[in-house]
């Protein structure tokens, strides 16, 4: 670049550049106008977009209104009624404080504000365009404020060109609208787009608002709520049950003092709380609302206040992950109980028992006669499971336990097997899919966990070679392996196994060797892996055909699981609420 002398930018140029930092697209205008209406204590706010805000954004509120004297000043740079000096920042209770939003909008668009305070004899209207005041005149005294923004970026052609199609800008505006709506569940909000009502959110409890705002994406029944207090803060978490997880963090949202923030450490705290509840790669759906003492948090570090700096971040992080984990451990079984209870008085099972068979499951309190079970016929099933199987068969054949026609699946209607992978059932208000392998695996795992452990000596020892690093990895775990029932002799590279945990007796040799070569961890971790191996081995596989009676039974047992994940963390059950289906088919309900 050739040498050029330094110049001082004109105030107008500087203002436009600064405006661009706050206002980059229609959604930013909407955000600022909503913030102002909320700061003004509005109980009802209506937003209207034309062409996604590219043509017009209008926000009408019933808040405090702007006094006649103030209206002429409110769109000047650094004009705010919310703070007077820096000390006030420590007591901040409003969303705004910089006094920049209206000035920025005025600098890059046409801004019209009509406002009156309650009881005022007259209202006023201000019109500013490109930073120049065009009018300030009387207006009917309607209490509250109407802000109308049009011609956005008319004087910034580069920015204007970056505006997206109206649908895209509408979607961005809607996301902003929802963000604000979640932070203020007591405020009634309406969003119109080109005269069509997109969303109406009446005042509602937080959980209901989240469900309603997202139009059934994750219905109320999926959401659990819990709160906790700490020094200088209060946390409320609304977490979706693990079955509703996603592959992205779209619905993993953190709010602090009613602002959405992007604080990685807190997002991580939520994910941490979900570990063990979600298979790897999935992200939870969770909304966290933190109220943090304003002296412990600084929002003055990002023009759009998307970031905050905390003085007590480690405290918040810890409290949040504990809260989420506690909520999930408590609510996952509870939620299932609720779902079963709701289904209890509904449909009957059409599947007829084929009579006089047996069940794999020992103490299943079903009220029907069990039919022949192919699950039980699987080769490789362990003796103790088969014993249980015969006990259950005898139980089931006692006449008082077999009232005719009772739905085995607790009022759910079994629909069939899909691709020999999933079992489908209809409840009163939901479609349910169960992963047959994951479900059976989990059920067996839970049963095996309760059984006493036995050791299986091997007539022919299992011998294999160890690489140097494998040997080093194996040796520290020998004590834990011995407690599990492994008898190992490692001499040089050679390793010989003369006894195994009985649970692994049906498992292929190669799997046992692979297990030993990677046998790192505590006794509990290793034990868990042994149980998981045994359960996986014995469980029905994807591809196995199940007769209706066995399938119903598996389904019922799966739905009663207190923790419906397979031992590897995959979900066992997925529910599709009718509401969601109705939405897909655009039924008016
Ligand atoms: P800030 O919100 O940071 O104070 P703004 O530029 O957004 O700055 O608004 C400037 C001032 O205009 C506010 O401090 C407030 O006094 C007034 N104001 C703006 N919008 C409204 C509204 N909808 N209702 C009442 N007062 C408003
Ligand atoms: Mg503001």
């Amino acid at each position: 670049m050739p040498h050029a002398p330094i110049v001082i930018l004109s105030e107008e140029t500087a203002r436009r550049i600064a405006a661009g930092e706050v206002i980059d697209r229609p959604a930013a205008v909407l955000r600022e106008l909503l913030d102002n209406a909320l700061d003004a204590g509005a109980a009802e706010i209506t937003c209207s977009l034309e062409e996604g805000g590219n043509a017009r954004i209008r926000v009408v509120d019933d808040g405090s209104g702007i006094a006649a004297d103030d209206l002429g000043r409110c769109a000047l740079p650094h004009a705010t009624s919310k703070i007077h000096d820096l000390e006030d920042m420590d007591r901040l209770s409003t969303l705004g404080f910089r006094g920049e939003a209206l000035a920025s909008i005025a600098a890059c668009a046409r801004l019209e504000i009509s406002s009156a305070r309650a009881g005022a004899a007259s209202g006023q209207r201000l019109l500013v365009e490109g930073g120049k005041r065009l009018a300030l005149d009387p207006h009917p005294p309607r209490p509250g404020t109407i802000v109308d923004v049009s011609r956005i970026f008319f004087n910034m052609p580069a920015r204007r060109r970056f505006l997206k199609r109206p649908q895209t800008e509408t979607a961005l505006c809607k996301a902003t609208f929802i963000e604000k709506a979640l932070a203020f569940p007591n405020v009634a909000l309406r969003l119109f787009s080109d005269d069509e009502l997109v969303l109406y959110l009446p005042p509602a409890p937080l959980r209901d608002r989240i469900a309603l705002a997202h139009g059934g994406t994750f219905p109320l029944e999926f959401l659990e709520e819990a709160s906790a207090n700490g020094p200088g803060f209060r946390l409320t978490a609304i977490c979706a049950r693990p079955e509703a997880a996603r592959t992205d963090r779209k619905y993993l949202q953190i709010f602090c003092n009613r602002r959405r923030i992007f604080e990685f450490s807190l997002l991580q705290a939520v994910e941490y709380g979900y570990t063990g509840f979600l298979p790897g790669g999935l992200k939870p759906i969770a909304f966290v609302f933190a109220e943090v003492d304003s002296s412990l948090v600084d929002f003055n570090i990002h023009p759009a206040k998307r970031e905050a700096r905390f003085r007590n971040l480690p405290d918040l992080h810890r409290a949040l992950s504990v809260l989420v984990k506690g909520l999930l451990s408590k609510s996952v079984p509870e939620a299932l109980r609720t779902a079963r209870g709701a289904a209890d008085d509904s449909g009957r099972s059409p599947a007829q028992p084929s009579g006089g068979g047996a069940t794999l499951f020992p103490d299943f309190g079903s009220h029907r006669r069990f039919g022949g079970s192919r699950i039980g016929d699987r080769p490789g099933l362990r003796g103790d499971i088969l014993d249980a199987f015969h006990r259950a068969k005898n139980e089931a054949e006692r006449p008082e336990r077999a009232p005719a026609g009772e739905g085995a699946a607790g009022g759910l209607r079994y629909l069939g097997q899909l691709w020999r992978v999933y079992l489908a059932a209809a409840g009163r208000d939901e479609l349910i899919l169960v992963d047959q392998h994951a479900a059976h695996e989990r059920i067996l795992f839970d049963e095996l966990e309760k059984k006493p452990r036995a050791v299986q000596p091997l007539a022919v020892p299992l011998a294999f070679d160890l690489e140097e690093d494998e040997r080093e990895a194996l040796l520290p775990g020998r004590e834990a392996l011995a407690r599990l029932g492994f008898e190992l002799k490692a001499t040089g590279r050679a390793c010989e196994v003369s006894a195994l945990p009985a649970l692994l007796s049906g498992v292929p040799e190669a799997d046992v060797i692979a297990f030993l070569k990677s046998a790192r961890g505590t006794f509990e971790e290793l034990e868990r892996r042994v149980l998981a191996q045994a359960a996986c081995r014995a469980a029905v596989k994807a591809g196995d055909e199940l007769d209706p009676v066995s399938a119903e039974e598996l389904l019922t047992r799966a739905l009663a699981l207190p923790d419906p994940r397979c031992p590897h963390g995959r979900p066992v059950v997925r529910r599709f609420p009718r509401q969601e289906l109705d939405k897909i088919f655009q039924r008016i309900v």
Side-chain angles (χ1 to χ4, degrees):
M1 193 174 162
H3 175 77
I6 290 177
V7 295
I8 306 297
L9 294 177
S10 77
E11 209 163 299
E12 199 193 324
T13 309
R15 178 103 60 84
R16 272 198 230 162
I17 291 172
E21 263 179 48
V22 183
I23 304 299
D24 57 349
R25 58 184 344 122
V29 173
L30 182 65
R31 178 190 67 220
E32 295 296 338
L33 299 187
L34 275 168
D35 277 1
N36 283 345
L38 292 164
D39 280 345
E44 218 175 302
I45 304 176
T46 299
C47 309
S48 315
L49 308 172
E50 281 175 26
E51 294 170 28
N54 292 347
R56 182 181 302 276
I57 302 158
R58 189 180 163 90
V59 173
V60 179
D61 73 57
D62 63 352
S64 63
I66 304 174
D69 290 349
D70 284 343
L71 189 63
R73 279 197 295 259
C74 72
L76 296 175
H78 318 301
T80 181
S81 58
K82 295 168 193 173
I83 58 168
H84 289 103
D85 50 37
L86 265 183
E87 275 76 72
D88 289 345
M89 291 287 298
D90 278 355
R91 298 180 285 272
L92 195 68
S93 62
T94 51
L95 297 169
F97 56 82
R98 294 164 170 257
E100 267 174 0
L102 292 183
S104 300
I105 295 168
C108 64
R110 178 186 169 96
L111 168 70
E112 185 177 332
I113 307 178
S114 323
S115 192
R117 292 185 63 90
S122 160
Q124 291 225 83
R125 182 189 71 120
L126 168 74
L127 180 59
V128 194
E129 190 176 278
K132 292 190 188 61
R133 185 201 284 186
L134 302 184
L136 180 64
D137 43 34
H139 189 79
R142 175 203 167 275
T145 304
I146 301 173
V147 183
D148 193 292
V149 176
S150 55
R151 304 195 67 199
I152 186 169
F153 301 141
F154 76 94
N155 54 357
M156 298 170 82
R159 267 282 153 89
R160 176 110 205 137
R161 273 196 298 275
F162 273 104
L163 291 176
K164 298 258 166 42
R165 295 181 305 148
Q167 292 101 300
T168 311
E169 297 292 346
T170 303
L172 291 166
C173 286
K174 186 178 168 194
T176 300
F177 175 90
I178 290 175
E179 256 176 38
K180 297 294 163 190
L182 299 195
F184 290 82
N186 296 327
V187 176
L189 289 150
R190 283 183 186 79
L191 176 65
F192 288 88
S193 170
D194 297 322
D195 292 329
E196 232 176 82
L197 182 63
V198 177
L199 208 47
Y200 167 52
L201 299 172
L206 191 50
R207 227 174 117 246
D208 301 58
R209 171 146 292 187
I210 290 174
L212 194 59
H214 294 97
T217 312
F218 23 89
L220 204 54
E221 313 84 76
F222 274 70
L223 302 175
E224 306 289 344
E225 178 170 351
S227 296
N229 289 317
F233 65 86
R234 177 175 176 76
L235 297 172
T236 298
I238 311 267
C239 295
R241 294 209 313 252
E243 307 97 280
R246 293 174 62 91
T247 51
D248 59 27
R249 292 201 179 90
K250 182 168 178 197
Y251 298 120
L252 175 48
Q253 302 184 358
I254 313 274
F255 293 76
C256 179
N257 297 358
R258 301 187 153 196
R259 296 175 173 88
R260 169 110 186 255
I261 55 163
F262 295 79
E263 173 55 61
F264 184 66
S265 153
L266 297 181
L267 295 170
Q268 226 182 11
V270 176
E271 289 178 6
Y272 192 68
Y274 268 86
T275 28
F277 290 91
L278 278 184
L282 287 188
K283 301 290 173 203
I285 293 176
F287 298 84
V288 175
F289 300 84
E291 289 294 326
V292 179
D293 191 302
S294 48
S295 63
L296 296 174
V297 56
D298 183 2
F299 285 100
N300 193 20
I301 57 170
H302 188 277
K305 309 179 193 93
R306 310 212 114 216
E307 280 165 35
R309 201 172 281 141
F310 294 92
R311 286 215 242 140
N312 58 344
L313 198 54
D315 280 3
L316 288 170
H317 179 98
R318 204 170 319 113
L320 184 53
S321 62
V322 168
L323 177 67
V324 170
K325 190 161 225 77
L327 174 153
L328 291 171
S329 335
K330 249 192 267 133
S331 64
V332 167
E334 197 176 281
L336 277 174
R337 276 203 296 278
T338 315
R340 289 190 80 210
D344 266 338
D345 53 351
S346 58
R348 298 259 180 269
S349 168
Q352 289 306 307
S354 46
T359 171
L360 176 59
F361 302 118
D363 47 14
F364 167 50
S366 154
H367 350 269
R368 76 174 300 157
R369 184 182 290 271
F370 300 124
S373 167
R374 283 188 212 167
I375 300 176
D377 296 341
R378 272 187 64 76
L381 269 184
R382 295 182 16 79
D384 48 358
I385 302 180
L386 288 173
D387 284 346
F389 175 86
H390 292 299
R391 266 202 316 279
K393 173 182 161 185
N394 295 337
E395 282 260 308
E397 280 169 5
R398 291 217 306 265
E400 70 275 17
R401 303 225 6 164
E406 272 292 324
L412 293 175
R413 197 149 49 84
Y414 173 61
L415 301 176
Q417 204 184 8
L418 301 180
W419 314 296
R420 299 186 180 181
V421 173
Y422 304 108
L423 308 179
R428 187 173 47 190
D429 290 315
E430 57 188 348
L431 170 68
I432 298 176
L433 293 184
V434 165
D435 181 313
Q436 65 186 41
H437 174 67
H440 198 198
E441 199 180 21
R442 179 65 204 216
I443 291 163
L444 293 175
F445 180 90
D446 288 352
E447 279 171 2
L448 293 175
E449 211 175 13
K450 291 183 214 124
K451 302 241 177 261
R453 308 283 182 264
V455 174
Q456 172 78 56
L458 297 179
V460 182
L462 173 62
F464 56 97
D465 281 352
L466 285 172
E467 299 297 330
E468 191 52 42
D469 55 330
E470 289 167 345
R471 200 178 124 85
E472 264 164 36
L474 181 67
L475 293 181
R478 270 174 90 168
E479 201 186 318
L481 290 171
R483 268 176 74 197
L484 276 170
F486 284 101
E487 268 168 38
L488 290 180
K489 226 182 359 194
T491 33
R493 285 188 56 187
C495 187
E496 214 176 81
V497 181
S498 49
L500 287 173
L503 284 170
L504 292 182
S505 48
V507 170
E509 286 184 2
D511 290 353
V512 174
I513 294 171
F515 174 85
L516 286 170
K517 285 186 171 182
S518 62
R520 257 142 277 179
T522 62
F523 171 74
E524 284 72 26
E525 283 160 355
L526 291 173
E527 184 182 43
R528 215 186 130 78
R529 284 185 52 198
V530 169
L531 290 171
Q533 280 261 13
C536 179
R537 161 96 186 143
V540 291
K541 302 284 181 292
D544 286 348
E545 194 172 317
L546 294 187
D547 65 279
V549 176
S550 305
E552 265 188 43
E553 201 174 292
L554 182 52
L555 192 73
T556 314
R557 287 291 297 269
L559 295 179
L561 280 172
D563 180 13
R565 286 168 297 130
C566 82
H568 313 291
R570 284 201 302 117
V572 162
V573 181
R574 180 85 161 77
R575 296 165 184 273
F576 301 86
R578 177 164 174 197
Q579 237 184 320
E580 227 171 82
L581 301 177
D582 287 341
K583 214 182 128 218
I584 291 170
F585 292 102
Q586 301 178 3
R587 288 189 149 272
I588 320 249
V589 280

